[in-house]
Amino acid sequence: MTKKEDRFTTFEKAAGKLNVASSPHLVDTAMTTRSMMIDVLISLAPVILMSVYVFHWYAVKQLLICIASCLAAEALFTRMRNKPFSLLDYSAVITGVIIAMSMPGTAPWFVSVIASFVGIGIGKSVFGGIGMNIFNPAMVGRAFVMIAFAGYLGASGYEDAGSLVDAITQATPMDIFKQSGVVPSLSVLFWGVTNGSLGETSAIACIIGGVYLCIRRTASWEIPLGVILTVAVLGGIQNIVSPDSGWTVLHHLFGGALLFGAFFIATDPVTSPLTPKGKFIFGAGVGAIIMLLRLFSGYPEGVMFAVLLMNALTPLINRWNVPKPLGEH
Amino acid sequence: MADQPTATERFIQGVLPENPVYRQLLGLCPVLAVSNNMKAAVTMAASVTFVLLCANVVTSLIRNLLKPHLRIVVFTLTIATFVTIADRILAAYLYQMSKTLGPYIPLIIVNCIIICRCEVCASKQSVFTAASDAIGQSLGFALALSSIAAIREILGTGMFFELRVLPAAWPDWVIMALPPGAFLTFGVMLAAINWISSNK
Amino acid sequence: MSYLTDIFLIALGAALINNFVLYYFVGICPFVGVSRRVEMAFGMGCAVTFVITIAAFLCWVITTFILMPGAPLSKWVAGFFVSADVAAGIDLTILSYIVYIFAISSSVQFVEMYVRKFFPVLYSSFGVFLPLITTNCAILFACLTIMSNIVGVDNPADAWDLGRSLTLAIFGGVGFTIAIVIMAGIREDLELCDIPKPFQGVAITLIVGGILAMAFMGFTGVDSGLRNAMIPM
Amino acid sequence: MMMESRTREIKDSPGMWERIKKNSLVQGWLVLLLALFFGSALASVQLSLGPKIEMNKLNETLSKVPELVLGASRAHEMEAKNQELGIEPMTIEVNKNNKRVLYNVYKTTYNGEINGWVAKTSGQGYAGSIELLLGLDPGMELITGLFILDQKETPGLGNKIVTEQWRKQFINKPTKNRLIVVKDGADAVNEIDAITGATISSKSVSNIMNTAISDLKGQLISGQSSNR
């Protein structure tokens, strides 16, 4: 049995105890990695559809490149370890989809390939493969290329005047705001007909997919709640301090990769804490770091760094919130 | 001192079997910090060679006079003096490079390789052996440092010793010139060396 | 206000943005060596923070009053032997490295004695790390940074005062503690992982260090962002 | 030496000799001797190399001055003809909001005529401080050059401020209006193109220059007249 399943059952039991009255039928202790991963794929569907609708073949191209290279990387690295190779757990596919959805549509092909190989290789295989990784593989790959190829992925990654899609010729809403203080309308951010990384533009798609994940209990609701609450509170404080900036709490919530990160990236059960309380702390930490980086850092968006930092703190959070052994109340 | 290795053995051991970086894992700060281009790496390796050679020779010369409880003080004093001299020479003749290396030259003082060699070899063996040990260890250090610097400079800038080796269309992996690139390159190299030596 | 801002930004820079371990690579040896258990790592971190503060204090005093060109104490002493002009030009910075390393080793000795005598409990928890600290580059690095901010500045008014120097030292130590404790937490978890053989040990530690460094890169620019927010241009 | 001390040990009263031998100063004779030896080595290094290092520090700035005032081609031309620019370093003190700010300024002269100013200044960049040299014409009406001495900007993005291609757009900009960084092609005289993806670094440089120019403008002209 892998460590992930161990952890997962521990958590499921803990969660089952807590939620016994409200939703006992949803607790599925026999849930396998594979059915979980299929759930994640289903929940990503609205985001994928929305990105294909907004970005057309840019989204399709990124998806194909990332999924193919993640699978290739997975195959290569499991072969190097002489382990049986199976694509049936879909985890590499999900890493690929998440990397693709976090890329700007115009990112060159090699950036996506490098992100996938680094994500699977350094983020996952060196730690022993599925269920063992400390850091979210997709975010390891994404942060690697963000730092390595900031020129393609930063502000300028989104501006390709020669492209066919209208949205791509604009800068991202976060970026426009950071550089010149122009505030986009909330409805644009909500529906997502604007520029940004493929999966992050549409708030509504992220919410639909995320709520599905939480209802299916594949993702624990404490993490997105923690992220959103913290961002709302800190965004509110920022609004009080500088009321004339025009970038409201809702802008903070709907803009950038926040919802995508909160629902699909931070909720990875392997790299987040075990207990509900730990999960909430984890979410709150992600939210706080996102706000710190958004308001002050030079990088346009802080979600990947925030998730990596909190992944690093997860073992410590687990230490201080040890899940109670079974039979103890 | 029949059981002590001879000068030749010391030299050979230092280069590969007991490579200070890959095998003994000593002196990691400069290996990570100044390995983003070859010029800096070579200058660093040369400075370490100078300090290690001088410190080893001086220690070996006075080895019979050393009192056990004062020997660390003597080592530190010797090393710090030669590091200061190396630092001033660099500032006088390679001013830009000495600015680039910045605090990492004075940090040679606390580089464990040097104090370790003084303790293990120079304070027990003859001047000749100590000198060949110093050269062997420095060569090993230089090899390790430049192996990492070569990878980082080529991937990070497409250049080697500031000469272009990769086509101009090469997208620079900026991360390689930055701290994460140092950790990752060294980690992967170390694993590769472990893998090769375990397959022998 | 602007002094406090300065202190705050130095602290933030030393602890997070330009973390001693993950950005400047100083203190790598304990970072890979003493990071197997969280308690040990925390003890090491505390010991380093303690020593670094004392060493930085000594370093600042010695540099300002004795070593730097035109330092008051050496000017006064030399005044007895040579003419005032020559005395004012005395520059002892060439001795700085030697002086610092001895200041560090004597502060380690002092801290060890003091802690053993007055805080035996504390001594039993981190006393074992104290002798190791002399060769920890983080401490010498803090001294060198302080020195370059006293001697290396163009404008004498910009030279760091004691407050700035101590802030850098304390928060450098805090940054070291943060990095090493996070690392230890991860390494405790790694023991359960099926790490490929060549990567076991130091190699995986370095890879984790690399990912941590990547995560900390996210903080780049936070200091200038905060400075702009606090001091409107 | 060891032999000698051993014979002396026998001759002298053993108790007293033991006590002297235990004394830490005597035990440390080697350390003291070495310290003396190393001290003299360092002193000789300092005496022989010290002036050279000082020269290096000065030259780092001075060697850039002709190019900043005259432009690269004129500077090379003058160098080829072995003509030398007179460079007079001075410190300018500016009082700003009750705060003293010091500027290192170099006045360049050729055949007794002032032909430009170079000011050394620094300020906050995107990551760490940026230190730069700014060349101005004699009347301080035009910017004649820009050189980045020290910066810690992001490699691949912000550190492109050191490239000549980016720096050269500052040349011949009038100092009358503040420089403004724009992202989509500079057209007005006081506009500067931002580096793609590094607007903050670009803005930092132009802000540092704006501050220095507005601080120095009045000061230098008056300083110049007082010098006469």
Side-chain angles (χ1 to χ4, degrees):
Chain A
M1 211 173 188
T2 61
K3 187 180 158 209
K4 173 183 212 147
E5 277 156 343
D6 272 345
R7 275 186 172 191
F8 205 73
T9 44
T10 323
F11 160 62
E12 278 302 328
K13 280 164 193 159
K17 256 189 316 203
L18 284 167
N19 293 307
V20 131
S22 60
S23 50
H25 59 286
L26 288 177
V27 179
D28 180 10
T29 40
M31 197 189 263
T32 61
T33 317
R34 188 177 155 192
S35 74
M36 247 182 70
M37 295 295 175
I38 292 176
D39 258 356
V40 177
L41 277 182
I42 294 171
S43 69
L44 279 167
V47 179
I48 297 174
L49 288 178
M50 196 65 203
S51 72
V52 173
Y53 170 72
V54 178
F55 297 98
H56 309 298
W57 60 276
Y58 281 96
V60 179
K61 189 188 79 178
Q62 287 295 359
L63 275 168
L64 288 179
I65 294 174
C66 290
I67 295 174
S69 32
C70 275
L71 288 177
E74 179 87 11
L76 175 74
F77 293 125
T78 37
R79 243 214 87 103
M80 277 173 80
R81 296 202 60 195
N82 298 322
K83 288 250 164 118
F85 165 59
S86 111
L87 296 176
L88 291 179
D89 63 19
Y90 293 111
S91 71
V93 178
I94 290 188
T95 308
V97 173
I98 290 182
I99 292 180
M101 288 293 110
S102 63
M103 288 282 181
T106 51
W109 62 271
F110 57 82
V111 172
S112 315
V113 172
I114 292 170
S116 308
F117 270 76
V118 169
I120 296 286
I122 296 199
K124 189 168 148 197
S125 294
V126 297
F127 293 100
I130 182 165
M132 311 275 190
N133 44 309
I134 300 286
F135 298 96
N136 186 319
M139 288 303 100
V140 172
R142 182 64 175 83
F144 186 90
V145 290
M146 176 75 221
I147 301 168
F149 306 108
Y152 296 113
L153 297 178
S156 61
Y158 299 100
E159 293 156 41
D160 180 3
S163 83
L164 302 168
V165 190
D166 259 2
I168 288 187
T169 57
Q170 314 160 2
T172 72
M174 280 307 281
D175 191 44
I176 296 184
F177 176 67
K178 259 200 151 157
Q179 309 287 0
S180 42
V182 176
V183 181
S185 82
L186 273 177
S187 74
V188 162
L189 291 178
F190 186 71
W191 296 109
V193 241
T194 178
N195 199 7
S197 296
L198 295 175
E200 73 180 30
T201 56
S202 168
I204 180 76
C206 293
I207 293 175
I208 294 173
V211 168
Y212 171 79
L213 265 189
C214 292
I215 290 176
R216 290 282 297 164
R217 306 204 52 79
T218 301
S220 8
W221 54 271
E222 290 92 347
I223 296 175
L225 182 74
V227 177
I228 291 167
L229 268 185
T230 319
V231 169
V233 169
L234 292 178
I237 293 173
Q238 194 249 340
N239 262 1
I240 296 167
V241 173
S242 54
D244 49 338
S245 92
W247 191 271
T248 63
V249 175
L250 281 177
H251 284 92
H252 270 300
L253 289 178
F254 292 160
L258 186 106
L259 288 173
F260 184 70
F263 282 116
F264 298 105
I265 300 171
T267 50
D268 176 9
V270 183
T271 56
S272 54
L274 302 173
T275 60
K277 195 176 152 203
K279 282 175 196 284
F280 186 80
I281 296 172
F282 178 88
V286 170
I289 298 171
I290 290 177
M291 286 305 284
L292 174 75
L293 299 189
R294 268 194 185 172
L295 293 176
F296 302 114
S297 152
Y299 284 105
E301 178 59 291
V303 172
M304 61 195 128
F305 298 113
V307 170
L308 285 179
L309 282 167
M310 290 313 290
N311 284 165
L313 288 174
T314 298
L316 295 176
I317 298 177
N318 276 337
R319 237 178 115 83
W320 292 318
N321 291 289
V322 190
K324 285 205 181 97
L326 277 178
E328 219 176 279
H329 267 275
Chain B
M1 290 195 195
D3 53 335
Q4 293 282 0
T6 64
T8 336
E9 278 167 14
R10 282 285 193 201
F11 178 80
I12 293 168
Q13 271 180 1
V15 181
L16 283 178
E18 269 184 36
N19 187 292
V21 176
Y22 284 124
R23 284 275 162 229
Q24 304 177 55
L25 298 164
L26 295 175
L28 302 186
C29 303
V31 170
L32 293 168
V34 294
S35 59
N36 56 6
N37 69 75
M38 281 303 281
K39 271 192 180 161
V42 169
T43 320
M44 185 72 198
S47 320
V48 169
T49 311
F50 169 77
V51 176
L52 181 53
L53 186 61
C54 296
N56 252 10
V57 167
V58 170
T59 312
S60 177
L61 280 174
I62 57 171
R63 67 183 184 279
N64 293 328
L65 306 173
L66 283 174
K67 298 267 190 326
H69 59 283
L70 284 177
R71 82 182 185 283
I72 298 291
V73 179
V74 173
F75 294 163
T76 317
L77 184 66
T78 318
I79 296 169
T81 309
F82 286 115
V83 169
T84 311
I85 293 173
D87 182 63
R88 295 294 145 139
I89 292 176
L90 277 183
Y93 296 104
L94 291 166
Y95 185 68
Q96 274 309 320
M97 185 49 79
S98 105
K99 264 186 88 174
T100 318
L101 293 176
Y104 295 102
I105 290 290
L107 282 177
I108 297 176
I109 300 175
V110 284
N111 189 324
C112 334
I113 297 177
I114 297 170
I115 204 149
C116 176
R117 289 337 286 176
C118 289
E119 176 82 31
V120 172
C121 171
S123 61
K124 298 190 183 106
Q125 294 186 286
S126 71
V127 175
F128 179 66
T129 318
S132 86
D133 178 70
I135 292 172
Q137 294 282 339
S138 318
L139 208 60
F141 178 76
L143 271 179
L145 188 56
S146 45
S147 66
I148 293 164
I151 294 177
R152 289 182 68 190
E153 190 179 357
I154 291 176
L155 289 182
T157 60
M159 296 196 267
F160 185 65
F161 274 111
E162 292 173 18
L163 295 171
R164 192 152 271 289
V165 286
L166 293 174
W170 174 258
D172 295 346
W173 297 29
V174 176
I175 194 172
M176 281 298 166
L178 294 171
F183 280 108
L184 295 177
T185 314
F186 185 33
V188 171
M189 282 294 283
L190 190 61
I193 301 253
N194 288 344
W195 187 68
I196 292 168
S197 56
S198 70
N199 274 12
K200 259 180 196 163
Chain C
M1 176 59 199
S2 98
Y3 182 74
L4 282 182
T5 317
D6 223 29
I7 292 277
F8 174 69
L9 289 175
I10 290 174
L12 193 72
L16 291 180
I17 302 163
N18 298 332
N19 186 282
F20 271 29
V21 180
L22 299 172
Y23 187 84
Y24 287 120
F25 311 105
V26 289
I28 291 288
C29 297
F31 183 65
V32 294
V34 200
S35 60
R36 279 200 190 82
R37 289 270 160 268
V38 171
E39 289 81 14
M40 263 169 70
F42 188 70
M44 184 73 185
C46 291
V48 167
T49 312
F50 213 61
V51 174
I52 209 170
T53 313
I54 294 172
F57 173 77
L58 286 178
C59 158
W60 186 84
V61 170
I62 294 171
T63 313
T64 316
F65 292 109
I66 301 175
L67 293 179
M68 67 182 277
L73 199 62
S74 39
K75 192 159 89 184
W76 178 71
V77 171
F80 291 113
F81 305 103
V82 287
S83 70
D85 286 358
V86 181
I90 278 187
D91 176 5
L92 295 175
T93 43
I94 192 155
L95 294 177
S96 48
Y97 303 158
I98 298 176
V99 172
Y100 292 161
I101 193 72
F102 280 101
I104 291 169
S105 31
S106 43
S107 40
V108 169
Q109 291 276 320
F110 168 75
V111 168
E112 194 181 2
M113 263 158 41
Y114 182 79
V115 171
R116 182 156 45 183
K117 195 159 178 195
F118 296 103
F119 304 101
V121 184
L122 207 62
Y123 183 78
S124 61
S125 63
F126 74 70
V128 279
F129 305 114
L130 281 169
L132 290 175
I133 289 177
T134 316
T135 51
N136 184 337
C137 10
I139 296 167
L140 184 59
F141 179 79
C143 292
L144 292 167
T145 314
I146 292 167
M147 171 191 159
S148 69
N149 278 301
I150 298 175
V151 181
V153 291
D154 287 334
N155 184 348
D158 292 343
W160 274 13
D161 58 359
L162 189 57
R164 288 188 175 89
S165 310
L166 286 183
T167 310
L168 175 96
I170 295 172
F171 284 90
V174 170
F176 175 83
T177 314
I178 291 176
I180 196 169
V181 168
I182 289 181
M183 190 54 153
I186 292 174
R187 279 182 80 173
E188 283 187 6
D189 264 27
L190 284 181
E191 279 170 15
L192 304 169
C193 292
D194 172 30
I195 294 165
K197 199 135 201 322
F199 278 97
Q200 283 172 10
V202 178
I204 191 75
T205 313
L206 288 167
I207 300 272
V208 173
I211 300 175
L212 279 181
M214 241 151 63
F216 273 71
M217 286 286 299
F219 289 118
T220 356
V222 169
D223 47 354
S224 65
L226 280 172
R227 189 185 292 271
N228 291 342
M230 287 177 185
I231 312 167
M233 293 253 240
Chain D
M1 209 144 186
M2 289 292 265
M3 281 296 283
E4 190 190 355
S5 65
R6 220 164 277 149
T7 46
R8 274 228 316 261
E9 195 179 334
I10 298 163
K11 257 188 266 167
D12 293 345
S13 90
M16 178 164 164
W17 180 243
E18 279 303 308
R19 237 180 301 146
I20 294 172
K21 225 177 133 185
K22 284 238 171 69
N23 186 309
S24 54
L25 264 185
V26 175
Q27 294 219 338
W29 69 268
L30 181 69
V31 180
L32 293 179
L33 200 73
L34 275 177
L36 220 62
F37 173 68
F38 288 145
S40 49
L42 285 180
S44 59
V45 166
Q46 171 77 336
L47 285 179
S48 56
L49 297 182
K52 202 170 160 58
I53 296 170
E54 285 305 311
M55 274 302 290
N56 285 339
K57 277 185 193 157
L58 265 178
N59 273 342
E60 191 192 14
T61 311
L62 289 186
S63 61
K64 297 288 179 296
V65 167
E67 203 180 311
L68 287 172
V69 175
L70 305 169
S73 51
R74 273 277 325 270
H76 286 307
E77 204 177 291
M78 275 187 69
E79 203 178 348
K81 285 184 195 156
N82 239 346
Q83 291 163 324
E84 231 177 86
L85 218 53
I87 301 173
E88 182 193 324
M90 45 167 120
T91 315
I92 303 289
E93 199 181 309
V94 182
N95 261 313
K96 210 166 54 170
N97 311 329
N98 294 327
K99 242 184 86 183
R100 277 175 62 223
V101 183
L102 291 175
Y103 280 95
N104 284 334
V105 179
Y106 303 87
K107 180 164 86 172
T108 63
T109 49
Y110 184 61
N111 292 337
E113 287 276 302
I114 295 185
N115 57 3
W117 304 91
V118 170
K120 190 174 179 183
T121 176
S122 63
Q124 181 67 30
Y126 166 54
S129 81
I130 300 176
E131 193 178 22
L132 52 84
L133 289 175
L134 166 68
L136 294 163
D137 74 340
M140 305 209 67
E141 297 297 327
L142 288 176
I143 295 171
T144 53
L146 166 68
F147 186 80
I148 311 288
L149 280 173
D150 200 16
Q151 52 85 27
K152 298 181 184 70
E153 305 303 286
T154 324
L157 289 176
N159 76 346
K160 287 191 183 142
I161 55 174
V162 302
T163 58
E164 208 202 323
Q165 205 200 348
W166 188 74
R167 283 187 288 121
K168 74 178 177 205
Q169 55 175 329
F170 285 90
I171 296 175
N172 286 333
K173 293 276 177 199
T175 58
K176 204 162 60 190
N177 302 313
R178 285 177 72 83
L179 299 165
I180 295 168
V181 170
V182 292
K183 284 185 71 181
D184 38 12
D187 350 284
V189 274
N190 63 333
E191 285 184 345
I192 298 290
D193 271 325
I195 296 164
T196 341
T199 321
I200 300 181
S201 299
S202 319
K203 275 186 182 161
S204 306
V205 172
S206 64
N207 280 339
I208 295 168
M209 292 174 67
N210 283 332
T211 317
I213 290 170
S214 71
D215 282 357
L216 290 173
K217 216 168 175 182
Q219 293 284 330
L220 276 187
I221 306 298
S222 57
Q224 183 189 345
S225 50
S226 69
N227 268 5
R228 268 178 200 162

